Amino acid sequence: MVVLVTGAGGQLGLSLQFIASNYPEIQFVFCSSAVLDISNSERCQQVFAQHQPDYCINAAAYTAVDKAESEPEKAHLINVTGAQNLAKLCKAFNVVLLHVSTDFVFDGSKKSPYTEEDVPNPTNVYGQTKLKGEIAIQEVWEKNFIVRTSWVYSPFGHNFMKTMLRLASERDTLSVVDDQIGSPTHAVDLADALLQIILTNNQQPTTNNFGIYNYSSEGQCSWYDFAGEIFRVNHISINLQPICSSDFPTPAKRPQYSVLDKSKIKNVFGLSIKNWEESLKPLN
C-alpha cells in the first residue's frame, strides 16, 4: 500500500515520518513543498504518475493565520487551488484523499462542541480558504476523508508550544489570552489517527465512510491554560498572566470557542483519543 504525503516538511508531515516505522504495511512517499508544490498541477501529475499511490495525505497548507490577512492570494493558492489539484489527480488515479482542515472554519459563537453537521462560518482569511478547499475537494472527488483538527503542536516545525518555550527563555513574564477555548492536538496523535483511517478503509473498501470528521485531543482549555501546562511539564518557572483577546489584538479574528465533537470519528473508526494533558510531553 503506497501512501503519498504532501507537505512532508511541516509538523504533521514530520510527525508522519516520525511514526512511519510503526506501519510496515505502508510504503510512504514523503514530498516536501520543495519537491511537490501542490499548486502546480503539472508537478502533481508527474508525482502521481511516478509513484502510483493508493492514498494521499494532504499535510500541505498555508497556516500562517495572521499573515493570511495580508496574503490572501497566497493562502488561496495553497489551501484552495492546491487542494483542488490533488482532488483532481486523486480522481484521475483513483486515489483516496485524506485532507486536513481546521476548527477555524467555525466562528466560535457556539457554546458546545462543534459537530460535522454544524454550519461553518469562518471569521478570517485562513479559515475561509480552508473551507473553500474542503468544498473544492467535495465537488471534485467523492473518495475523500476531510479531517478537521485544532490547535496542532509538536516537537516539529512552528507551533504554540515551541513559541512559548522560546519566549520563556527570553522573558520573566508572559501574558497569554484566556478567553479563547479549544483543544490542543499533538501532531503525532493526529498522524496516527490518519493512518488508522487508512488501515480501516483498506480493510473495508466496500464500506463508504468518506466525508468530514473532527479530530482533536479530548478536553478543552484556554491558550493561557495550555501555556501553563507547557511550562509545568517542562519545569519552567515564569510569571504567566492571563489577558483578554481585546488586550492582544491580532490581524486575524480567532473563534472564541472551537472545541470539536469527536463522536463520529470514534464511532466509525473505533479510535481511542487521549486527553490533551496526557499527550503533552516535555520537549527533550
Side-chain angles (χ1 to χ4, degrees):
M1 180 178 19
V2 179
V3 176
L4 172 68
V5 179
T6 68
Q11 64 171 331
L12 177 56
L14 291 169
S15 295
L16 283 160
Q17 293 188 56
F18 181 69
I19 62 171
S21 61
N22 298 339
Y23 294 86
E25 64 272 65
I26 296 176
Q27 178 186 334
F28 289 95
V29 178
F30 290 105
C31 294
S32 67
S33 57
V35 174
L36 176 57
D37 174 1
I38 64 170
S39 68
N40 184 331
S41 58
E42 289 183 11
R43 182 60 184 143
C44 290
Q45 169 80 33
Q46 292 168 356
V47 170
F48 272 70
Q50 178 184 353
H51 296 288
Q52 299 287 323
D54 301 293
Y55 292 83
C56 174
I57 297 176
N58 182 26
Y62 182 106
T63 58
V65 178
D66 288 320
K67 211 172 177 184
E69 297 296 311
S70 57
E71 293 184 344
E73 296 87 2
K74 192 172 180 181
H76 188 280
L77 188 65
I78 301 170
N79 293 346
V80 186
T81 305
Q84 187 177 51
N85 285 342
L86 289 176
K88 289 177 179 177
L89 266 297
C90 285
K91 182 177 183 179
F93 286 82
N94 192 28
V95 175
V96 176
L97 176 60
L98 286 83
H99 176 76
V100 180
S101 193
T102 174
D103 57 327
F104 279 24
V105 298
F106 298 114
D107 60 17
S109 61
K110 205 179 172 193
K111 296 295 185 281
S112 59
Y114 282 93
T115 72
E116 292 82 356
E117 283 71 45
D118 283 318
V119 179
N121 183 35
T123 62
N124 55 50
V125 170
Y126 167 69
Q128 290 162 3
T129 60
K130 291 299 288 183
L131 178 60
K132 287 176 182 175
E134 290 184 9
I135 294 167
I137 289 169
Q138 291 170 312
E139 289 177 344
V140 170
W141 182 225
E142 67 269 14
K143 290 186 179 180
N144 69 75
F145 295 101
I146 293 171
V147 180
R148 292 172 177 159
T149 190
S150 66
W151 295 23
V152 180
Y153 72 95
S154 70
F156 316 110
H158 302 287
N159 56 70
F160 180 79
M161 177 180 75
K162 293 179 76 174
T163 299
M164 289 298 104
L165 294 174
R166 176 178 58 79
L167 291 175
S169 70
E170 301 168 354
R171 307 177 186 178
D172 298 323
T173 302
L174 201 56
S175 298
V176 179
V177 296
D178 72 340
D179 58 354
Q180 295 172 25
I181 306 299
S183 301
T185 304
H186 199 301
V188 172
D189 293 342
L190 174 60
D192 257 322
L194 294 173
L195 296 179
Q196 289 302 318
I197 289 173
I198 288 175
L199 292 182
T200 302
N201 185 73
N202 214 51
Q203 291 162 0
Q204 305 169 346
T206 57
T207 306
N208 184 357
N209 289 322
F210 300 120
I212 296 175
Y213 291 85
N214 293 334
Y215 180 89
S216 66
S217 293
E218 296 284 21
Q220 64 183 53
C221 64
S222 68
W223 290 109
Y224 168 79
D225 299 327
F226 187 21
E229 190 65 9
I230 289 168
F231 297 138
R232 188 188 71 79
V233 301
N234 285 281
H235 307 291
I236 293 171
S237 178
I238 187 170
N239 180 11
L240 183 64
Q241 297 294 325
I243 57 169
C244 298
S245 298
S246 57
D247 297 326
F248 187 71
T250 54
K253 183 183 178 185
R254 265 78 167 170
Q256 293 292 108
Y257 179 92
S258 62
V259 178
L260 300 172
D261 184 302
K262 277 81 67 175
S263 301
K264 181 181 176 184
I265 201 167
K266 287 192 286 189
N267 292 337
V268 173
F269 296 104
L271 292 184
S272 175
I273 303 177
K274 297 177 187 174
N275 186 277
W276 71 269
E277 291 155 304
E278 186 186 347
S279 287
L280 186 61
K281 303 285 194 300
L283 187 59
N284 54 38

